[in-house]
Structures are given as C-alpha cells and as structure tokens.
Amino acid sequence: MTSNADSSIKDHLVEISGAAFLPAKLLIKVGDSVTWINKDIVPHTATAVDGSWDTGFIGSGEERRVVFDGEKGSAYICTYHPSMTAVLEFD
Ligand SMILES: [Cu+2]
C-alpha cells in the first residue's frame, strides 16, 4: 500500500469498565489496531468467538493491542465472563 493509505490507519480504544466493553460496537478498517484498557479491578480478555484473535489476560489497569490485518472474527467476548459480549464491524 502507499503511504497515503498507511496514514489512514488508526488505533481504536475500547475501555473495559463495569464488566462491559465500551463501546460494545466498534467500526474499524483492515489495518487498524484496537487497544483494550482494563479499568476494572478484575482481569478480563477480549477473545474472538471464532478463536481468530485473542488479547489474552488483561490485568487490572493493563492494556493490550491487536492489529487487524484482515477481516478476522468480529464478535468477541471475555473468556472469564462470557456474558460480556461486543463486536467489531469492518468498514
Ligand atoms: Cu471479563
């Protein structure tokens, strides 16, 4: 890709707070990255339902970044708290 295309790549922020992903629905483009920040006192993960990506353990106050270099699984959960659900939508 050209440098023009690269300049449009963004890092998106998802806050994990109150055992919820905020925002629960996020629009991203291929090549973007997403950083999850855990504001809770308990650990969480952001894990694709289809297993295609996983932040792994995110301890309290920690953050993890995932680069989406393809249209990977968009629905995700926390493996410790499967009722925590969210979705990435690819533009
Ligand atoms: Cu959790």
Side-chain angles (χ1 to χ4, degrees), residues 12-85:
H12 303 266
L13 206 59
V14 175
E15 195 173 297
I16 309 173
S17 179
F21 296 107
L22 306 169
K25 185 194 267 188
L26 183 66
L27 187 66
I28 71 171
K29 292 186 162 119
V30 169
D32 287 356
S33 58
V34 179
T35 298
W36 284 265
I37 298 181
N38 182 6
K39 301 274 182 94
D40 280 344
I41 58 169
V42 297
H44 295 292
T45 74
T47 305
V49 171
D50 70 2
S52 60
W53 57 270
D54 186 2
T55 61
F57 182 98
I58 313 174
S60 178
E62 294 184 342
E63 60 184 64
R64 294 284 184 279
R65 182 167 167 263
V66 175
V67 176
F68 290 87
D69 50 7
E71 290 200 18
K72 298 177 179 176
S74 60
Y76 69 94
I77 60 167
C78 170
T79 54
Y80 302 124
H81 313 101
S83 63
M84 291 172 61
T85 61

